[in-house]
Amino acid sequence: MKDMKYIVWFWLVFCWVCPGGIYAMEAQKDLRIQAVFNEYGKKKNVTMVELSNEMLETYGMTHYKSITIKNDPAALRFVRECLEADQRGARKIKEVTDDGGIISAYYQLPGGGEDLNRFILFKVNTKGVITLVYIEGELDSDDLITVLFTRKDF
């Protein structure tokens, strides 16, 4: 009987906590850039950040994930291939190319629901450091620009 009580308690907690975890996994499932996070997320010279729910709510976001990869030409080629696939159908808010390759991009993706906007931000600096960010939430393009360029702690 005591075991049954723990099993019921476990399932109640699991059902309460798990939908958020499942949503986080589903957030990027239709995007090619998910492969970048999966492939490079735990490698050396890589920093990956995923914000918690408390931080996300502050900025009107439901999902935030970023990855920074230091000086890896193979990773840069892979990220650019993924971006090329994901930008189909996206609204290009900003895209900068140099020598035929994207060096900076800001895309708003289709889908995600009526009140849900999805964004991909990408940049590679002159030292070869790659930054890729995926953001999802109620914030629109103008809100995102405000958050990125006026907050010093973000």
Side-chain angles (χ1 to χ4, degrees), residues 27-76:
Q28 295 173 279
K29 78 173 188 164
D30 64 327
L31 298 177
R32 185 78 172 100
I33 61 163
Q34 182 178 5
V36 175
F37 292 100
N38 293 342
E39 177 75 23
Y40 291 93
K42 296 186 180 187
K43 289 193 174 185
K44 190 175 181 180
N45 294 322
V46 173
T47 303
M48 190 164 71
V49 175
E50 193 162 6
L51 294 181
S52 68
N53 288 337
E54 296 83 23
M55 184 65 118
L56 292 171
E57 289 172 5
T58 303
Y59 296 103
M61 298 177 197
T62 55
H63 192 78
Y64 174 97
K65 198 169 194 178
S66 70
I67 191 166
T68 303
I69 305 168
K70 294 180 184 169
N71 199 15
D72 186 335
L76 180 58

Side-chain angles (χ1 to χ4, degrees), residues 2 5 20-21 33 44 60 62 83 94 96 100 114 134 140 152:
K2 191 175 184 181
K5 184 178 177 182
I33 61 163
K44 190 175 181 180
T62 55
L83 282 173
K94 176 187 171 191
V96 178
E114 187 176 311
Y134 174 77
D140 62 18
K152 294 189 184 346

Side-chain angles (χ1 to χ4, degrees), residues 105-119:
Y106 176 13
Y107 305 120
Q108 183 170 1
L109 303 168
E114 187 176 311
D115 292 334
L116 190 66
N117 294 308
R118 304 183 321 153
F119 302 94

Side-chain angles (χ1 to χ4, degrees), residues 83-139:
L83 282 173
E84 189 175 313
D86 288 340
Q87 72 172 310
R88 291 186 199 111
R91 181 176 147 226
K92 290 180 188 178
I93 296 169
K94 176 187 171 191
E95 186 177 77
V96 178
T97 59
D98 187 25
D99 286 331
I102 298 169
I103 58 170
S104 178
Y106 176 13
Y107 305 120
Q108 183 170 1
L109 303 168
E114 187 176 311
D115 292 334
L116 190 66
N117 294 308
R118 304 183 321 153
F119 302 94
I120 296 175
L121 295 92
F122 166 77
K123 181 171 178 121
V124 59
N125 70 15
T126 55
K127 295 180 181 178
V129 177
I130 305 160
T131 302
L132 179 66
V133 179
Y134 174 77
I135 298 173
E136 203 173 88
E138 292 179 1
L139 71 171

